[in-house]
PDB file of all heavy atoms in Angstrom:
ATOM      1  N   ILE K 103     196.691-100.676 133.917  1.00  0.00           N
ATOM      2  CA  ILE K 103     196.834-100.116 132.568  1.00  0.00           C
ATOM      3  C   ILE K 103     198.307 -99.829 132.267  1.00  0.00           C
ATOM      4  O   ILE K 103     198.807-100.114 131.170  1.00  0.00           O
ATOM      5  CB  ILE K 103     195.991 -98.835 132.424  1.00  0.00           C
ATOM      6  CG1 ILE K 103     194.511 -99.156 132.654  1.00  0.00           C
ATOM      7  CG2 ILE K 103     196.180 -98.224 131.035  1.00  0.00           C
ATOM      8  CD1 ILE K 103     193.614 -97.936 132.645  1.00  0.00           C
ATOM      9  N   TYR K 104     199.008 -99.256 133.249  1.00  0.00           N
ATOM     10  CA  TYR K 104     200.440 -98.995 133.085  1.00  0.00           C
ATOM     11  C   TYR K 104     201.205-100.283 132.810  1.00  0.00           C
ATOM     12  O   TYR K 104     202.064-100.338 131.917  1.00  0.00           O
ATOM     13  CB  TYR K 104     200.961 -98.314 134.354  1.00  0.00           C
ATOM     14  CG  TYR K 104     202.433 -98.544 134.634  1.00  0.00           C
ATOM     15  CD1 TYR K 104     203.421 -97.886 133.905  1.00  0.00           C
ATOM     16  CD2 TYR K 104     202.837 -99.432 135.646  1.00  0.00           C
ATOM     17  CE1 TYR K 104     204.771 -98.103 134.172  1.00  0.00           C
ATOM     18  CE2 TYR K 104     204.173 -99.653 135.910  1.00  0.00           C
ATOM     19  CZ  TYR K 104     205.139 -98.988 135.174  1.00  0.00           C
ATOM     20  OH  TYR K 104     206.471 -99.209 135.436  1.00  0.00           O
ATOM     21  N   ARG K 105     200.869-101.319 133.541  1.00  0.00           N
ATOM     22  CA  ARG K 105     201.630-102.575 133.446  1.00  0.00           C
ATOM     23  C   ARG K 105     201.289-103.360 132.184  1.00  0.00           C
ATOM     24  O   ARG K 105     202.153-104.036 131.613  1.00  0.00           O
ATOM     25  CB  ARG K 105     201.334-103.434 134.693  1.00  0.00           C
ATOM     26  CG  ARG K 105     202.125-104.725 134.776  1.00  0.00           C
ATOM     27  CD  ARG K 105     203.604-104.457 134.922  1.00  0.00           C
ATOM     28  NE  ARG K 105     204.357-105.691 135.046  1.00  0.00           N
ATOM     29  CZ  ARG K 105     204.715-106.459 134.037  1.00  0.00           C
ATOM     30  NH1 ARG K 105     204.362-106.125 132.804  1.00  0.00           N
ATOM     31  NH2 ARG K 105     205.436-107.558 134.249  1.00  0.00           N
ATOM     32  N   CYS K 106     200.049-103.236 131.718  1.00  0.00           N
ATOM     33  CA  CYS K 106     199.601-104.090 130.609  1.00  0.00           C
ATOM     34  C   CYS K 106     199.573-103.390 129.249  1.00  0.00           C
ATOM     35  O   CYS K 106     199.704-104.063 128.219  1.00  0.00           O
ATOM     36  CB  CYS K 106     198.194-104.623 130.887  1.00  0.00           C
ATOM     37  SG  CYS K 106     198.075-105.668 132.352  1.00  0.00           S
ATOM     38  N   HIS K 107     199.370-102.058 129.235  1.00  0.00           N
ATOM     39  CA  HIS K 107     199.082-101.431 127.952  1.00  0.00           C
ATOM     40  C   HIS K 107     199.890-100.168 127.652  1.00  0.00           C
ATOM     41  O   HIS K 107     200.327 -99.990 126.517  1.00  0.00           O
ATOM     42  CB  HIS K 107     197.579-101.095 127.858  1.00  0.00           C
ATOM     43  CG  HIS K 107     196.705-102.298 127.830  1.00  0.00           C
ATOM     44  ND1 HIS K 107     196.520-103.064 126.704  1.00  0.00           N
ATOM     45  CD2 HIS K 107     195.987-102.895 128.818  1.00  0.00           C
ATOM     46  CE1 HIS K 107     195.714-104.082 126.987  1.00  0.00           C
ATOM     47  NE2 HIS K 107     195.385-103.997 128.260  1.00  0.00           N
ATOM     48  N   ASP K 108     200.063 -99.297 128.611  1.00  0.00           N
ATOM     49  CA  ASP K 108     200.673 -98.009 128.283  1.00  0.00           C
ATOM     50  C   ASP K 108     201.415 -97.496 129.508  1.00  0.00           C
ATOM     51  O   ASP K 108     200.796 -97.099 130.494  1.00  0.00           O
ATOM     52  CB  ASP K 108     199.587 -97.012 127.865  1.00  0.00           C
ATOM     53  CG  ASP K 108     200.158 -95.719 127.297  1.00  0.00           C
ATOM     54  OD1 ASP K 108     201.361 -95.469 127.502  1.00  0.00           O
ATOM     55  OD2 ASP K 108     199.402 -94.955 126.667  1.00  0.00           O
ATOM     56  N   ASP K 109     202.751 -97.494 129.429  1.00  0.00           N
ATOM     57  CA  ASP K 109     203.512 -97.116 130.619  1.00  0.00           C
ATOM     58  C   ASP K 109     203.467 -95.613 130.894  1.00  0.00           C
ATOM     59  O   ASP K 109     203.972 -95.159 131.914  1.00  0.00           O
ATOM     60  CB  ASP K 109     204.948 -97.610 130.544  1.00  0.00           C
ATOM     61  CG  ASP K 109     205.707 -97.077 129.347  1.00  0.00           C
ATOM     62  OD1 ASP K 109     205.168 -96.200 128.647  1.00  0.00           O
ATOM     63  OD2 ASP K 109     206.843 -97.528 129.119  1.00  0.00           O
ATOM     64  N   ARG K 110     202.820 -94.834 130.026  1.00  0.00           N
ATOM     65  CA  ARG K 110     202.619 -93.426 130.340  1.00  0.00           C
ATOM     66  C   ARG K 110     201.625 -93.251 131.485  1.00  0.00           C
ATOM     67  O   ARG K 110     201.567 -92.189 132.102  1.00  0.00           O
ATOM     68  CB  ARG K 110     202.133 -92.670 129.099  1.00  0.00           C
ATOM     69  CG  ARG K 110     203.206 -92.493 128.024  1.00  0.00           C
ATOM     70  CD  ARG K 110     202.646 -91.855 126.782  1.00  0.00           C
ATOM     71  NE  ARG K 110     201.641 -92.701 126.141  1.00  0.00           N
ATOM     72  CZ  ARG K 110     201.018 -92.406 125.006  1.00  0.00           C
ATOM     73  NH1 ARG K 110     201.316 -91.272 124.371  1.00  0.00           N
ATOM     74  NH2 ARG K 110     200.117 -93.224 124.483  1.00  0.00           N
ATOM     75  N   TRP K 111     200.876 -94.302 131.772  1.00  0.00           N
ATOM     76  CA  TRP K 111     199.918 -94.246 132.882  1.00  0.00           C
ATOM     77  C   TRP K 111     200.602 -94.247 134.241  1.00  0.00           C
ATOM     78  O   TRP K 111     199.947 -94.172 135.277  1.00  0.00           O
ATOM     79  CB  TRP K 111     198.938 -95.422 132.786  1.00  0.00           C
ATOM     80  CG  TRP K 111     197.776 -95.087 131.891  1.00  0.00           C
ATOM     81  CD1 TRP K 111     197.782 -95.024 130.540  1.00  0.00           C
ATOM     82  CD2 TRP K 111     196.452 -94.747 132.312  1.00  0.00           C
ATOM     83  NE1 TRP K 111     196.540 -94.680 130.069  1.00  0.00           N
ATOM     84  CE2 TRP K 111     195.696 -94.509 131.136  1.00  0.00           C
ATOM     85  CE3 TRP K 111     195.831 -94.642 133.536  1.00  0.00           C
ATOM     86  CZ2 TRP K 111     194.352 -94.145 131.186  1.00  0.00           C
ATOM     87  CZ3 TRP K 111     194.484 -94.289 133.582  1.00  0.00           C
ATOM     88  CH2 TRP K 111     193.766 -94.036 132.412  1.00  0.00           C
ATOM     89  N   ILE K 112     201.936 -94.314 134.259  1.00  0.00           N
ATOM     90  CA  ILE K 112     202.656 -94.233 135.528  1.00  0.00           C
ATOM     91  C   ILE K 112     202.372 -92.903 136.222  1.00  0.00           C
ATOM     92  O   ILE K 112     202.409 -92.806 137.463  1.00  0.00           O
ATOM     93  CB  ILE K 112     204.176 -94.415 135.299  1.00  0.00           C
ATOM     94  CG1 ILE K 112     204.902 -94.568 136.646  1.00  0.00           C
ATOM     95  CG2 ILE K 112     204.751 -93.253 134.511  1.00  0.00           C
ATOM     96  CD1 ILE K 112     204.515 -95.749 137.450  1.00  0.00           C
ATOM     97  N   VAL K 113     202.053 -91.864 135.448  1.00  0.00           N
ATOM     98  CA  VAL K 113     201.698 -90.570 136.038  1.00  0.00           C
ATOM     99  C   VAL K 113     200.433 -90.710 136.872  1.00  0.00           C
ATOM    100  O   VAL K 113     200.358 -90.235 138.019  1.00  0.00           O
ATOM    101  CB  VAL K 113     201.520 -89.503 134.936  1.00  0.00           C
ATOM    102  CG1 VAL K 113     201.027 -88.194 135.547  1.00  0.00           C
ATOM    103  CG2 VAL K 113     202.827 -89.290 134.188  1.00  0.00           C
ATOM    104  N   ALA K 114     199.413 -91.382 136.314  1.00  0.00           N
ATOM    105  CA  ALA K 114     198.169 -91.591 137.058  1.00  0.00           C
ATOM    106  C   ALA K 114     198.408 -92.493 138.262  1.00  0.00           C
ATOM    107  O   ALA K 114     197.805 -92.302 139.328  1.00  0.00           O
ATOM    108  CB  ALA K 114     197.108 -92.202 136.141  1.00  0.00           C
ATOM    109  N   VAL K 115     199.282 -93.481 138.097  1.00  0.00           N
ATOM    110  CA  VAL K 115     199.610 -94.375 139.217  1.00  0.00           C
ATOM    111  C   VAL K 115     200.147 -93.568 140.395  1.00  0.00           C
ATOM    112  O   VAL K 115     199.713 -93.738 141.547  1.00  0.00           O
ATOM    113  CB  VAL K 115     200.644 -95.441 138.777  1.00  0.00           C
ATOM    114  CG1 VAL K 115     201.119 -96.244 139.980  1.00  0.00           C
ATOM    115  CG2 VAL K 115     200.042 -96.365 137.732  1.00  0.00           C
ATOM    116  N   ILE K 116     201.083 -92.692 140.123  1.00  0.00           N
ATOM    117  CA  ILE K 116     201.701 -91.903 141.196  1.00  0.00           C
ATOM    118  C   ILE K 116     200.685 -90.944 141.814  1.00  0.00           C
ATOM    119  O   ILE K 116     200.625 -90.779 143.039  1.00  0.00           O
ATOM    120  CB  ILE K 116     202.922 -91.144 140.657  1.00  0.00           C
ATOM    121  CG1 ILE K 116     204.008 -92.143 140.244  1.00  0.00           C
ATOM    122  CG2 ILE K 116     203.468 -90.176 141.693  1.00  0.00           C
ATOM    123  CD1 ILE K 116     205.188 -91.512 139.546  1.00  0.00           C
ATOM    124  N   LEU K 117     199.854 -90.314 140.977  1.00  0.00           N
ATOM    125  CA  LEU K 117     198.868 -89.359 141.493  1.00  0.00           C
ATOM    126  C   LEU K 117     197.831 -90.050 142.370  1.00  0.00           C
ATOM    127  O   LEU K 117     197.499 -89.566 143.466  1.00  0.00           O
ATOM    128  CB  LEU K 117     198.188 -88.628 140.335  1.00  0.00           C
ATOM    129  CG  LEU K 117     199.063 -87.644 139.551  1.00  0.00           C
ATOM    130  CD1 LEU K 117     198.294 -87.074 138.365  1.00  0.00           C
ATOM    131  CD2 LEU K 117     199.555 -86.523 140.457  1.00  0.00           C
ATOM    132  N   PHE K 118     197.311 -91.183 141.912  1.00  0.00           N
ATOM    133  CA  PHE K 118     196.324 -91.907 142.723  1.00  0.00           C
ATOM    134  C   PHE K 118     196.973 -92.512 143.968  1.00  0.00           C
ATOM    135  O   PHE K 118     196.334 -92.601 145.020  1.00  0.00           O
ATOM    136  CB  PHE K 118     195.644 -92.998 141.895  1.00  0.00           C
ATOM    137  CG  PHE K 118     194.517 -92.491 141.045  1.00  0.00           C
ATOM    138  CD1 PHE K 118     194.557 -92.627 139.662  1.00  0.00           C
ATOM    139  CD2 PHE K 118     193.414 -91.883 141.620  1.00  0.00           C
ATOM    140  CE1 PHE K 118     193.522 -92.159 138.868  1.00  0.00           C
ATOM    141  CE2 PHE K 118     192.363 -91.412 140.830  1.00  0.00           C
ATOM    142  CZ  PHE K 118     192.425 -91.543 139.452  1.00  0.00           C
ATOM    143  N   GLY K 119     198.233 -92.936 143.836  1.00  0.00           N
ATOM    144  CA  GLY K 119     198.923 -93.442 145.021  1.00  0.00           C
ATOM    145  C   GLY K 119     199.095 -92.354 146.066  1.00  0.00           C
ATOM    146  O   GLY K 119     198.896 -92.585 147.271  1.00  0.00           O
ATOM    147  N   ALA K 120     199.446 -91.146 145.625  1.00  0.00           N
ATOM    148  CA  ALA K 120     199.574 -90.020 146.554  1.00  0.00           C
ATOM    149  C   ALA K 120     198.223 -89.671 147.168  1.00  0.00           C
ATOM    150  O   ALA K 120     198.126 -89.356 148.364  1.00  0.00           O
ATOM    151  CB  ALA K 120     200.157 -88.811 145.831  1.00  0.00           C
ATOM    152  N   ALA K 121     197.164 -89.721 146.370  1.00  0.00           N
ATOM    153  CA  ALA K 121     195.826 -89.437 146.895  1.00  0.00           C
ATOM    154  C   ALA K 121     195.434 -90.452 147.963  1.00  0.00           C
ATOM    155  O   ALA K 121     194.836 -90.094 148.992  1.00  0.00           O
ATOM    156  CB  ALA K 121     194.808 -89.445 145.757  1.00  0.00           C
ATOM    157  N   THR K 122     195.773 -91.716 147.742  1.00  0.00           N
ATOM    158  CA  THR K 122     195.512 -92.743 148.751  1.00  0.00           C
ATOM    159  C   THR K 122     196.295 -92.457 150.023  1.00  0.00           C
ATOM    160  O   THR K 122     195.773 -92.551 151.141  1.00  0.00           O
ATOM    161  CB  THR K 122     195.898 -94.138 148.216  1.00  0.00           C
ATOM    162  OG1 THR K 122     195.219 -94.378 146.975  1.00  0.00           O
ATOM    163  CG2 THR K 122     195.540 -95.228 149.207  1.00  0.00           C
ATOM    164  N   PHE K 123     197.534 -92.089 149.860  1.00  0.00           N
ATOM    165  CA  PHE K 123     198.436 -91.805 150.988  1.00  0.00           C
ATOM    166  C   PHE K 123     197.914 -90.653 151.839  1.00  0.00           C
ATOM    167  O   PHE K 123     197.934 -90.709 153.074  1.00  0.00           O
ATOM    168  CB  PHE K 123     199.824 -91.482 150.436  1.00  0.00           C
ATOM    169  CG  PHE K 123     200.880 -91.276 151.472  1.00  0.00           C
ATOM    170  CD1 PHE K 123     201.661 -92.332 151.898  1.00  0.00           C
ATOM    171  CD2 PHE K 123     201.113 -90.018 152.013  1.00  0.00           C
ATOM    172  CE1 PHE K 123     202.661 -92.141 152.856  1.00  0.00           C
ATOM    173  CE2 PHE K 123     202.106 -89.814 152.962  1.00  0.00           C
ATOM    174  CZ  PHE K 123     202.876 -90.887 153.387  1.00  0.00           C
ATOM    175  N   TYR K 124     197.426 -89.599 151.192  1.00  0.00           N
ATOM    176  CA  TYR K 124     197.023 -88.387 151.912  1.00  0.00           C
ATOM    177  C   TYR K 124     195.542 -88.364 152.290  1.00  0.00           C
ATOM    178  O   TYR K 124     195.123 -87.475 153.035  1.00  0.00           O
ATOM    179  CB  TYR K 124     197.347 -87.147 151.076  1.00  0.00           C
ATOM    180  CG  TYR K 124     198.820 -86.857 150.985  1.00  0.00           C
ATOM    181  CD1 TYR K 124     199.517 -87.056 149.799  1.00  0.00           C
ATOM    182  CD2 TYR K 124     199.528 -86.395 152.088  1.00  0.00           C
ATOM    183  CE1 TYR K 124     200.873 -86.787 149.711  1.00  0.00           C
ATOM    184  CE2 TYR K 124     200.892 -86.135 152.014  1.00  0.00           C
ATOM    185  CZ  TYR K 124     201.558 -86.330 150.819  1.00  0.00           C
ATOM    186  OH  TYR K 124     202.905 -86.078 150.741  1.00  0.00           O
ATOM    187  N   SER K 125     194.765 -89.298 151.797  1.00  0.00           N
ATOM    188  CA  SER K 125     193.331 -89.248 152.078  1.00  0.00           C
ATOM    189  C   SER K 125     192.980 -89.744 153.466  1.00  0.00           C
ATOM    190  O   SER K 125     191.957 -89.344 154.038  1.00  0.00           O
ATOM    191  CB  SER K 125     192.562 -90.064 151.027  1.00  0.00           C
ATOM    192  OG  SER K 125     193.002 -91.410 151.020  1.00  0.00           O
ATOM    193  N   TYR K 126     193.820 -90.613 154.049  1.00  0.00           N
ATOM    194  CA  TYR K 126     193.497 -91.212 155.351  1.00  0.00           C
ATOM    195  C   TYR K 126     194.803 -91.693 155.970  1.00  0.00           C
ATOM    196  O   TYR K 126     195.678 -92.187 155.258  1.00  0.00           O
ATOM    197  CB  TYR K 126     192.527 -92.376 155.143  1.00  0.00           C
ATOM    198  CG  TYR K 126     192.021 -93.066 156.385  1.00  0.00           C
ATOM    199  CD1 TYR K 126     191.668 -92.355 157.515  1.00  0.00           C
ATOM    200  CD2 TYR K 126     191.866 -94.448 156.398  1.00  0.00           C
ATOM    201  CE1 TYR K 126     191.180 -92.999 158.642  1.00  0.00           C
ATOM    202  CE2 TYR K 126     191.375 -95.104 157.519  1.00  0.00           C
ATOM    203  CZ  TYR K 126     191.036 -94.374 158.640  1.00  0.00           C
ATOM    204  OH  TYR K 126     190.563 -95.009 159.760  1.00  0.00           O
ATOM    205  N   ALA K 127     194.933 -91.543 157.269  1.00  0.00           N
ATOM    206  CA  ALA K 127     196.185 -91.915 157.929  1.00  0.00           C
ATOM    207  C   ALA K 127     196.572 -93.358 157.634  1.00  0.00           C
ATOM    208  O   ALA K 127     197.748 -93.666 157.401  1.00  0.00           O
ATOM    209  CB  ALA K 127     196.066 -91.684 159.433  1.00  0.00           C
ATOM    210  N   ASN K 128     195.585 -94.262 157.630  1.00  0.00           N
ATOM    211  CA  ASN K 128     195.883 -95.664 157.362  1.00  0.00           C
ATOM    212  C   ASN K 128     196.242 -95.909 155.896  1.00  0.00           C
ATOM    213  O   ASN K 128     196.781 -96.964 155.560  1.00  0.00           O
ATOM    214  CB  ASN K 128     194.697 -96.539 157.769  1.00  0.00           C
ATOM    215  CG  ASN K 128     194.548 -96.596 159.273  1.00  0.00           C
ATOM    216  OD1 ASN K 128     195.495 -96.874 159.987  1.00  0.00           O
ATOM    217  ND2 ASN K 128     193.362 -96.302 159.767  1.00  0.00           N
ATOM    218  N   GLY K 129     195.933 -94.962 155.034  1.00  0.00           N
ATOM    219  CA  GLY K 129     196.346 -95.084 153.645  1.00  0.00           C
ATOM    220  C   GLY K 129     197.854 -95.064 153.482  1.00  0.00           C
ATOM    221  O   GLY K 129     198.378 -95.583 152.497  1.00  0.00           O
ATOM    222  N   GLN K 130     198.555 -94.480 154.457  1.00  0.00           N
ATOM    223  CA  GLN K 130     200.012 -94.476 154.394  1.00  0.00           C
ATOM    224  C   GLN K 130     200.558 -95.900 154.460  1.00  0.00           C
ATOM    225  O   GLN K 130     201.453 -96.279 153.705  1.00  0.00           O
ATOM    226  CB  GLN K 130     200.575 -93.632 155.538  1.00  0.00           C
ATOM    227  CG  GLN K 130     200.180 -92.175 155.474  1.00  0.00           C
ATOM    228  CD  GLN K 130     200.734 -91.373 156.635  1.00  0.00           C
ATOM    229  OE1 GLN K 130     201.587 -91.842 157.378  1.00  0.00           O
ATOM    230  NE2 GLN K 130     200.254 -90.146 156.795  1.00  0.00           N
TER     231      GLN K 130
END
């Protein structure tokens, strides 16, 4: 969505990326 339609979605990108990173060791 950030890349195709609305670059304000970069906030959600970072939040979900952090959630992936912290949810499981292999997510790093």
Side-chain angles (χ1 to χ4, degrees):
I103 299 175
Y104 153 75
R105 184 65 178 81
C106 298
H107 294 282
D108 189 344
D109 59 8
R110 289 175 296 182
W111 274 75
I112 190 62
V113 175
V115 172
I116 294 173
L117 291 176
F118 278 120
T122 305
F123 185 92
Y124 289 109
S125 59
Y126 183 41
N128 289 309
Q130 297 179 12

